Amino acid sequence: MFDSHSPAFAPRLIDSTLRDGEQAPGVAFSRAEKLKVARLLDAVGVDEIEAGTPAMGEEEVDTIRAIVRTKPKCRISVWSRALRQDIEMAARTGAEGIHMAFPLSDIQLKVIGKDWVWICDALPALVEHAHRYFPYVSVGAQDASRTDRTRLFSYFELIQNAGVGRVRIADTVGLFTPLSLYSLVRDIKTAFPLLEVDFHGHNDLGMAAANAITAWQAGAEHLSVTVNGLGERAGNSPLEEVMTSLATVFGQTKFHPEKLSDLCRFVAECSGRPIPAGKAITGSMVFAHESGIHAQGTLHDVRAFQPFDGKLVGRESAHNVFGKHSGKTAVLHFFSQRNLSLDNADLDCVVRKIHQLSIHLKRNLSVNEILSVYHQIRCK
């Protein structure tokens, strides 16, 4: 049964792994890696790839141009500061879209020596300049979660009057909660029904994925994400969590989550950021079951104690592992699959020995270790 708060439209996913993701400390993709990431992103069905920041230099421009030449199905866009020279550098990439970020909070404006008056003066001219080169222009409300509502709505009016079709609500330091964000997006859509909203979440307080889904439920048409949540500090809204939630909770079918696993593994490898074992969707243990009741349930239906079959995201359906909490049913099933029999007394001994050995080793047991336990018991 799908969530009743599902909007009538599917969100457009904007992946920023090659831009915001690469801004994570210590991460640097090669051109070949960026081309492969872009290809895999296109395959999973994202609507837009934010392919980089051209102002970083000629190598970045050339790499983005190479991505554009692959002619993906999705839109290729680039990120720019609110500077004329950045726009002109970006124009050399051949990208279809550009996103310009304007800091709005007092703290971020002060850092760059600017103020609200500068935004009002600079934005219309910069937007006009961007439209000379790009069919699609998006503008960002950077640090929106620390910006006064009055200033935010004045900003939305300013960009709408400048002919911008999409505003990015950037939770730059991850302070939005689902309820506060829901209220803001609903108010934006009420006041500016023709202005499309993009939500760009950071995960500093662990709410980026929930905030992304909530923004869509409130009316945001676009959601910015990164593979594995890669990004500065605690990262961004994870593509795999957002896409899989859209598929499982809301029944959205436009994406290809079965291709997520290969994408996430590759980004983990080339970013040097291993996926934690318990990471939602992609962690090595998220479809593993040890405790007796859970393992037994999985033998009857893989969905008994997990929200979806792992095959949905290109993983195994489910698998049982053996340790301190293993029960008799799962252990008996393990041996019966290998044509090994146990009477009740031996089964009790094997289960007890599995528990003891797992406690001693402080981990799950391998197949060979379980078989060794079996032969020890049987040979007595």
Side-chain angles (χ1 to χ4, degrees):
M1 184 174 181
F2 299 126
D3 194 292
S4 60
H5 293 89
S6 173
F9 61 90
R12 294 177 62 84
L13 295 184
I14 306 167
D15 188 275
S16 189
T17 304
L18 300 181
R19 196 276 298 178
D20 207 348
E22 197 185 30
Q23 290 174 199
V27 175
F29 299 128
S30 69
R31 178 178 297 189
E33 288 168 341
K34 285 194 171 188
L35 284 165
K36 183 171 180 178
V37 170
R39 177 173 59 79
L40 293 172
L41 285 169
D42 199 37
V44 301
V46 301
D47 300 279
E48 182 174 334
I49 296 173
E50 195 170 67
T53 305
M56 289 179 61
E58 292 298 330
E59 185 175 352
E60 186 84 345
V61 170
D62 289 345
T63 298
I64 296 168
R65 190 181 292 123
I67 293 171
V68 171
R69 283 199 299 267
T70 66
K71 297 183 178 181
K73 296 185 291 294
C74 63
R75 174 191 293 145
I76 300 298
S77 64
V78 293
W79 189 94
S80 169
R81 295 171 297 180
L83 297 171
R84 182 178 288 257
Q85 61 264 35
D86 279 24
I87 296 170
E88 292 171 355
M89 194 82 163
R92 296 171 48 210
T93 64
E96 180 183 353
I98 187 171
H99 175 79
M100 287 189 294
F102 284 82
L104 289 189
S105 65
D106 287 335
I107 188 170
Q108 291 210 348
L109 282 168
K110 186 177 180 179
V111 165
I112 63 170
K114 303 292 185 181
D115 57 19
W116 171 244
V117 174
W118 166 75
I119 294 175
C120 294
D121 290 342
L123 188 146
L126 287 170
V127 168
E128 182 181 3
H129 194 60
H131 273 304
R132 294 177 185 173
Y133 302 106
F134 294 93
Y136 193 86
V137 177
S138 171
V139 174
Q142 187 172 306
D143 208 16
S145 50
R146 292 192 295 186
T147 302
D148 175 80
R149 276 281 189 108
T150 301
R151 179 179 293 176
L152 272 177
F153 279 74
S154 296
Y155 181 71
F156 301 145
E157 184 173 3
L158 178 68
I159 65 172
Q160 183 170 265
N161 291 340
V164 175
R166 182 176 78 192
V167 62
R168 173 174 291 173
I169 306 302
D171 189 10
T172 305
V173 293
L175 290 176
F176 273 127
T177 65
L179 289 180
S180 65
L181 181 61
Y182 188 90
S183 172
L184 174 62
V185 174
R186 287 299 293 269
D187 288 347
I188 295 170
K189 296 307 296 181
T190 298
F192 304 95
L194 300 181
L195 186 62
E196 294 191 355
V197 173
D198 163 25
F199 174 71
H200 178 95
H202 280 262
N203 204 39
D204 296 80
L205 298 180
M207 291 184 278
N211 281 338
I213 293 296
T214 301
W216 170 63
Q217 289 180 299
E221 295 89 350
H222 308 258
L223 302 176
S224 290
V225 293
T226 63
V227 178
N228 299 335
L230 187 66
E232 296 162 329
R233 304 181 312 280
N236 296 53
S237 303
L239 165 66
E240 63 280 3
E241 294 178 21
V242 172
M243 183 179 287
T244 306
S245 295
L246 290 169
T248 57
V249 181
F250 300 99
Q252 293 291 333
T253 59
K254 66 173 283 190
F255 306 110
H256 300 285
E258 72 279 3
K259 299 181 180 181
L260 280 171
S261 186
D262 288 343
L263 168 63
C264 293
R265 279 198 299 264
F266 181 70
V267 170
E269 177 186 335
C270 61
S271 66
R273 297 288 187 95
I275 298 172
K279 166 73 172 63
I281 314 301
T282 54
S284 61
M285 299 300 285
V286 298
F287 301 112
H289 303 271
E290 179 185 319
S291 67
I293 295 174
H294 287 223
Q296 180 179 349
T298 299
L299 296 175
H300 293 280
D301 189 330
V302 297
R303 299 168 300 169
F305 286 97
Q306 57 190 53
F308 56 90
D309 189 320
K311 289 181 179 178
L312 176 72
V313 292
R315 299 281 305 280
E316 71 277 18
S317 291
H319 66 280
N320 289 336
V321 295
F322 297 89
K324 176 183 176 180
H325 307 95
S326 293
K328 294 180 182 179
T329 301
V331 171
L332 192 61
H333 180 264
F334 172 89
F335 290 118
S336 67
Q337 283 191 310
R338 291 160 175 80
N339 296 317
L340 298 173
S341 60
L342 283 170
D343 59 30
N344 287 336
D346 284 346
L347 177 60
D348 287 338
C349 290
V350 168
V351 170
R352 185 164 58 251
K353 184 64 176 177
I354 287 173
H355 292 175
Q356 293 169 348
L357 186 56
S358 177
I359 293 169
H360 174 70
L361 297 174
K362 300 185 75 66
R363 60 171 171 79
N364 295 122
L365 303 187
S366 68
V367 169
N368 286 338
E369 286 169 335
I370 298 170
L371 292 173
S372 178
V373 168
Y374 172 87
H375 291 301
Q376 288 173 27
I377 298 299
R378 294 288 286 171
C379 292
K380 282 184 178 180

